[in-house]
Each structure stands twice: as structure tokens, then as C-alpha cells.
Amino acid sequence: MTATETIATAIKQIDQKKEKLKKAFDDLQSHRSLLSPSFSLSWSEIDSHFSTLQSSLANRFRILQSTAPLEDDSYRLDASYAQTSSSEEISEQPVVESELRALCEKMDGIGLSKYLIVQWDDDALLNQEVSAAIRYSPDPASMVLDAIEGLNQNHTPSSSGKSFDVRRVFVLLMEVLIEINWNITVDTRNRAKKLAYHWKTKIDTKPFEALVFLHLVAAFELGSEFNSEELSDYVFMIAKYKQATSVCNKIGLDRERVRNLIKKLMDSGKAILAVKFMYECGITDEFEPIPVLKSYIKNSREAALRVCVEDNYSIKSQNEAIDKEVSALKAAIKIIKDQNLESEFTQEKVEERVEELEKYKALRKRNATNPPKQEPQQKGKKRTRDGNGAQVPAPSQQLLSRPEALLMPEHSHHGLQLNPYGLMTSAFSGVVVNPLSGLFGSAATPQPLYYAQQTGFVLPPQYHSPYYSQ
């Protein structure tokens, strides 16, 4: 086996090895109680790290194949675009497949679309290779227009036989066209304008049709041809797509329109999208993105609480609450990292909260599959009891036996015990702590315990003693 064959085989085995690593990690997680509290590594972080390495290795290997003499010509790739004088530059340049380059050189827009449909992989970064290939075209803008006009149908069979939405290819091609900033001829712009007016009739309330239309406006510089208010409405419609801010910046909306768009997003409860537009459209000076994000994080916690309370802490509501809050917090984490805002969120500890929620859900799932056996009490060994003489279960079992603990980060459990109604009581401080405290300790004001609570008889929060004003 040659050196290149050995490398190719090793790269193919990466996914299999990652699966084995995940099994080992899951096994390690099942013994998490024995690990140091500082162990906070999650599988998503590990998987992301190895996926990045895998992609980098695969790309470097393809470059190696294209630049080094090989015994087997079937491995050879066209490297005319990737040839550089330094190894660092080589690693940064994507390799262009010879077939892809030929299609671009021949201005075969329809053939290019069909090629991309066959090669499409949701996990692959095609845009880098297409961006490199499209520069071989004598007129990229005209070729992209040919592709859209010639293959203007919503769905076509892919290589797997499944229906593929060809509009995704159109969006990719226009993204690349925007990126390379190619000069648009008058003839090409007129053709694009006719197509854009036709596509506009398809939109109605369909966000993806609006996405294609706005890319036509952005890629072929047609902003002045359409009403600004209408364009702004379409941007609001597609705000959830990753390309929304880039097309917003390219269609000629003035600052006031963008400001109104951000306000509309905030008024609609889309705080994360609003913050993204603030930063990526360069309008943070007129808003306060940090307080908006902090309020969003706090509100996600309260929304999770409401889900559980409304359904009396059923298993279904707990799962829904966890998923709802984790999804919201991960969206916040992404924008915090993208904009390098970590120093502003040291108190919120958002990533720790996500880990706690996922750990709780995993713990309950494991216990549902393998219920813990009740161990007989060893002679001479006393069970832990609280201040009222009641037996206290092990921490993990206490967490599972109180579904309300879902709303409470573990680090706020010190010296406290959960009562059956979601409040945390301390045998020493004599206070009841609002379950919304934790991430936001200032949100909860300690209240005095009434006699019934001091004696261990705890009333549900919906019942209040008539002898005390509430």
C-alpha cells in the first residue's frame, strides 16, 4: 500500500473512530459523579474539534494529491488554482475539481447547477470551492443568470434519488457572486431585473422565495428598482436565514430602514435576530445589544418555568422546557462568541447552565432506562437526615425526585433542600428562595418562612394563609 493509499484509508476511518470515542465518552459521563467538578467538556465540543480537523486533513490531502506525482492517476485533481509558493497559502486555497472548472470556463450555467445538485452535501463547505471555480468564468454574473433561468424549477432529483430544492443552488451561486463583487454589465442587469420582477410574484408569504428574490436584488445590484419599504418587509420575512444580514447590507436600505427593521424584530420577540442585525449591519451605537441579550437569557429561563408550571411538571413539560431553554441559550452563546462578548457575560455563566440542563436530562433518561436499586442500609452506618429528621436521598436521586430542580442550577443548591413545590428551603437561614434565582440571583427576594413551613408542613404556592397579607 502506497503512502497516499494509507492516508486515504486513515481519513475514511475517522468517522468510525469518532463513534468509538463517543461511546467511550458516554461511558465516562455515566460515572460523572466520580469526576472532578471542574470537568466541563461536552461531546459537542469534542465532535466540533475533530470535525474541524477532519475537514482540514481531507482538504490538505486533496491538495497533496493534486501537487505530488501519483502512481494512480484516478487520485489526481486539477491544481492550477491551488499552486502557491508557501505551504501556508496552499492550505488556505480550496482545490477546484477539473469538471467544475471546465463547466465555469465554458460558461455552462445549467451544467454547473446540475453538477452542484449531484455534489451537494449539507455538511460540506461547497461555497469555498465554487467561489474559486467561478473565477475561471469569463462572465460569472451572466453564467449564474443562465443557471437560474435555465433550471428554474423548485425541485429536481439529486444523486440519491431524493427530491432536491434547486433554489438552494441558486442562492449559493448568488452568494458567491456577491462575494467576488463582479462587475455587472448593463445587459446582464436588465436580464436579472426581468427575472427579479417575475420571482417577486412568487413570494406571497413564502420566506424562501423572498430569500431568492433578495439575492437577485443584491447580486445584480437592483436595489433602486424596488420600493425600500417592501424590501425591508422581505428582509424581516427571511431574518432567520444566515444570509439575511448580508443581503440587507447589499440591497441599499438606508440606516433608518435598518433601524426600524431591528425594532420590528425586537417587538416580535426575535431578540437574537435583532442583536445579530445590530452588529452585522453596524448599528450598535443606536441600540444596547448587551442588555437585550441578558434580558433574552433571563426570559428564556422564565419561559421554561412557565412550561413546567402549566403542565404540573409532567415529564413531557420538563423535556419541552429543557429543550426550549437549551435552544435559546445556545443561540445566545453563538452570538456571544461571534461578537467576542464573553467578558460581558461572566455573571450569567450561560454555557454552564446549558451543561446543567443537558446533564439533568441525561441523568433522568439513564434512570428511566436503568432504575437505581435501593441498597440495604449497612450496619453501623447512619443515613443523612435534615434538620427535621427526614432522610435525605443522594444528590442525584434528590434531583430526579424533584422535577422542579430543573429550573435551579446545581451551584445554587449549596446548603439548600428542595421542598415538593419547587421552592428551596434552608434549615439554617429560614428563607424561601424564588426558583428563578440562580443565573439571576437578583431576580429573587428572600421571604420569611411561615410557621407551617418551619415545622416541615409546606403548603403549595397556590395556597396562602388567610392570616398573612400577600
Side-chain angles (χ1 to χ4, degrees), residues 263-312:
K263 289 179 180 177
K264 188 176 178 181
L265 287 169
M266 293 177 66
D267 292 341
S268 303
K270 301 175 181 178
I272 289 292
L273 295 177
V275 172
K276 180 183 177 185
F277 272 80
M278 290 176 201
Y279 281 106
E280 297 185 12
C281 294
I283 199 166
T284 54
D285 56 324
E286 297 188 38
F287 295 91
E288 295 183 324
I290 302 300
V292 171
L293 271 178
K294 290 188 175 184
S295 177
Y296 171 81
I297 293 170
K298 179 177 182 292
N299 291 340
S300 69
R301 189 88 184 274
E302 294 174 346
L305 170 62
R306 286 194 297 272
V307 168
C308 285
V309 169
E310 288 171 3
D311 201 22
N312 199 27

Side-chain angles (χ1 to χ4, degrees), residues 17-51:
K17 291 180 178 180
K18 273 205 305 183
E19 282 298 318
K20 292 181 179 178
L21 180 61
K22 187 176 187 306
K23 290 180 181 178
F25 183 82
D26 290 341
D27 183 58
L28 180 64
Q29 289 291 90
S30 67
H31 300 86
R32 190 176 182 85
S33 60
L34 303 176
L35 300 176
S36 167
S38 62
F39 181 81
S40 60
L41 195 62
S42 66
W43 171 251
S44 60
E45 293 173 313
I46 298 174
D47 183 54
S48 175
H49 173 71
F50 281 104
S51 295

